[in-house]
Amino acid sequence: MGLAWYIAAENDVAGLETFFNGKSIAHADEAHLERLCETLGVRPLMDFFSVDPDETEAQLHAYLDTDDEPLDTPEEEWFAAKDGLLTVRTLREYLDSHPAQLDRQQEILTELAEYQRILESLDQNNTRWHLAIDV
């Protein structure tokens, strides 16, 4: 599939499809995105990143080709959807009114619109989330 950023919901929400192609934003200049967020006064998207510790441990064991000892992996974190919405909406508004800030900016705006759609639904359903990465 290639590198993609997507939204992982803590619980399923009836009728909500959370899968979409998050490749453009995953391949954007992460440092530039982080600086934009800081300038705009919102949390960078990667502040919302987390992983399932069991999944991480299984992948590390497979990569290291060992099952000998448990690995110390961080706890999975979940965030309020409204916090992610603030970042996503602010980025979308800025990028929409400032063309040519990022390579593939229109594709990134499309993906941010998908993030916003999902996060709005999660917020309405009091469901927490985190940003996840598919490699």
Side-chain angles (χ1 to χ4, degrees), residues 5 8 18 22 27 45 52 54-56 63 65 71 82 117 131:
W5 292 4
T18 60
H27 288 94
L45 285 170
D52 178 318
D54 295 331
E55 184 179 316
T56 301
Y63 179 76
D65 195 29
L71 300 171
K82 67 179 174 125
R117 176 189 65 80
L131 190 65

Side-chain angles (χ1 to χ4, degrees), residues 24-41:
S24 293
I25 201 157
H27 288 94
D29 181 342
E30 189 177 331
H32 189 158
L33 273 176
E34 186 170 333
R35 284 191 306 275
L36 271 177
C37 287
E38 289 171 0
T39 298
L40 296 168

Side-chain angles (χ1 to χ4, degrees), residues 13-24:
V13 172
L16 176 63
E17 176 59 55
T18 60
F19 178 79
F20 70 95
N21 178 349
K23 291 182 179 181
S24 293

Side-chain angles (χ1 to χ4, degrees), residues 6 8 49-63 71 73-74 76 130 132-135:
Y6 66 96
F49 172 74
S50 187
V51 293
D52 178 318
D54 295 331
E55 184 179 316
T56 301
E57 185 170 346
Q59 289 177 351
L60 287 172
H61 278 299
Y63 179 76
L71 300 171
T73 56
E76 190 169 21
H130 64 71
I133 296 177
D134 187 15
V135 289

Side-chain angles (χ1 to χ4, degrees), residues 8-131:
E10 186 174 27
N11 304 302
D12 290 335
V13 172
L16 176 63
E17 176 59 55
T18 60
F19 178 79
F20 70 95
N21 178 349
K23 291 182 179 181
S24 293
I25 201 157
H27 288 94
D29 181 342
E30 189 177 331
H32 189 158
L33 273 176
E34 186 170 333
R35 284 191 306 275
L36 271 177
C37 287
E38 289 171 0
T39 298
L40 296 168
V42 295
R43 291 174 67 177
L45 285 170
M46 283 306 289
D47 278 9
F48 298 104
F49 172 74
S50 187
V51 293
D52 178 318
D54 295 331
E55 184 179 316
T56 301
E57 185 170 346
Q59 289 177 351
L60 287 172
H61 278 299
Y63 179 76
L64 298 172
D65 195 29
T66 179
D67 286 326
D68 297 347
E69 58 189 66
L71 300 171
D72 187 24
T73 56
E75 289 296 315
E76 190 169 21
E77 290 184 74
W78 297 101
F79 304 94
K82 67 179 174 125
D83 296 337
L85 273 171
L86 179 60
T87 294
V88 169
R89 285 178 177 149
T90 302
L91 270 175
R92 277 190 71 204
E93 289 171 9
Y94 178 82
L95 292 173
D96 197 40
S97 62
H98 294 84
Q101 294 293 306
L102 299 167
D103 291 338
R104 301 168 63 172
Q105 186 162 319
Q106 191 55 49
E107 294 170 30
I108 291 168
L109 279 165
T110 299
E111 290 178 8
L112 287 171
E114 283 297 303
Y115 284 175
Q116 184 172 335
R117 176 189 65 80
I118 294 166
L119 289 170
E120 285 172 346
S121 183
L122 293 178
D123 188 42
Q124 291 168 358
N125 288 279
N126 297 314
T127 301
R128 298 183 307 168
W129 74 292
H130 64 71
L131 190 65

